[in-house]
Amino acid sequence: MDILKFFKFGFVGFSGLIIDFGITWICKEKLKLNKYLANGFGFLFGVTNNYFLNKYFTFDNHNEEIGFQFLSFLIIAIIGFSINTGFLYSLQKKTKINFYVCKIIVTVLVFVWNFGANSFYTFKS
């Protein structure tokens, strides 16, 4: 594992996290959408940001098949999102921990899945 890529992936992930949380908060608190729907919108904006930053910054990848590559990234992210949402729902319902604290916990867990899958599949050398 390339430790520098791992940290870059984390940095990019943090920028996506800020976007994800911001969009989630706007949708949930200001637009009064269902919290899980709001979580989905946050995810979509965050994942798009992360794809482009990871492609060029983290993995310095210049594969011209952006459509196929983005689809791969999106599928991995959707699997991660499914894990995220399932754990988010379970953790909040079973522990009564604050929704946003639960979101932080599951985001850290899913980070490992996303890095591994994208390193070995989407952006493989």
Side-chain angles (χ1 to χ4, degrees):
M1 174 175 64
D2 185 336
I3 197 74
L4 181 58
K5 286 181 183 174
F6 184 79
F7 283 110
K8 284 182 171 183
F9 193 84
F11 177 76
V12 168
F14 187 73
S15 74
L17 177 75
I18 298 300
I19 291 169
D20 181 342
F21 270 69
I23 297 297
T24 300
W25 182 83
I26 289 167
C27 290
K28 181 180 177 292
E29 304 300 334
K30 297 298 179 186
L31 300 177
K32 304 298 184 197
L33 297 178
N34 172 280
K35 60 188 167 189
Y36 300 108
L37 182 60
N39 189 51
F41 283 123
F43 164 80
L44 288 174
F45 279 86
V47 78
T48 301
N49 168 78
N50 288 1
Y51 168 73
F52 286 104
L53 288 179
N54 277 314
K55 178 175 179 57
Y56 297 110
F57 173 68
T58 304
F59 295 100
D60 191 30
N61 183 279
H62 298 283
N63 182 335
E64 294 180 10
E65 294 186 34
I66 290 177
F68 178 76
Q69 195 176 48
F70 181 74
L71 182 61
S72 298
F73 188 85
L74 185 60
I75 289 169
I76 290 167
I78 288 170
I79 293 168
F81 175 71
S82 299
I83 295 167
N84 178 298
T85 301
F87 284 160
L88 178 63
Y89 177 81
S90 296
L91 189 60
Q92 190 191 24
K93 291 297 180 189
K94 292 182 183 200
T95 65
K96 303 298 183 195
I97 296 173
N98 176 276
F99 175 76
Y100 293 107
V101 173
C102 290
K103 189 166 170 62
I104 290 169
I105 293 167
V106 299
T107 298
V108 170
L109 296 173
V110 173
F111 172 82
V112 175
W113 154 258
N114 286 336
F115 177 74
N118 282 299
S119 293
F120 295 112
Y121 186 71
T122 305
F123 300 115
K124 67 181 176 217
S125 301

